Amino acid sequence: MTAFNTVRFRVKPGRDQEFLDAHRNISWPGLQRLDIIKTGDRNYCIICEWPDMESIAKARPDMIATLNSFRGTLEDLGSGLGVTDAISGPVVLRQ
C-alpha cells in the first residue's frame, strides 16, 4: 500500500537556495515522488511518496546521507526535535 514520509525543516537565514539545491537530484531507491513545500519564512516540508512502508525503511540510510550533506543549512526546531521533524505512514484513505 502506498506510503508517505514528511519531514519539516527550518533553514538558517540566507541558506534557502543551498537547502533546495541539495534536493535537486535525489535518487533514493523506491522513491516515487518528492515535493518540497514552503510553509513560512525559512520553513519547509518535504513530502515523499513510496510504494509501501518497506521502501521507506530501505531508503533510510540514503535519506540520512542526503540530510548529512545539507545539515549545516538547518536550524534546530526546538522542543528536543533537533533539525528535523519526521513522520511517515501508509495511506489509509485516498480520494
Side-chain angles (χ1 to χ4, degrees), residues 32-51:
Q32 294 178 328
R33 181 175 174 160
L34 180 147
D35 293 301
I36 298 178
I37 59 172
K38 187 168 184 168
T39 59
D41 183 39
R42 298 184 296 117
N43 293 304
Y44 295 89
C45 187
I46 293 177
I47 302 168
C48 298
E49 184 174 358
W50 305 84

Side-chain angles (χ1 to χ4, degrees), residues 3-5 48 50 52-60 63 88-89:
F4 285 86
N5 75 302
C48 298
W50 305 84
D52 50 41
M53 289 298 294
E54 184 177 317
S55 297
I56 294 173
K58 285 181 181 177
R60 235 174 240 128
M63 289 188 280
S88 62

Side-chain angles (χ1 to χ4, degrees), residues 5-7 9 23 26 28-29 31 34 46 48 50 53 55-71 88:
N5 75 302
T6 302
V7 185
F9 303 94
H23 296 91
I26 296 294
W28 301 325
L31 178 67
L34 180 147
I46 293 177
C48 298
W50 305 84
M53 289 298 294
S55 297
I56 294 173
K58 285 181 181 177
R60 235 174 240 128
D62 293 302
M63 289 188 280
I64 292 168
T66 300
L67 169 63
N68 288 338
S69 77
F70 66 88
R71 187 179 295 273
S88 62

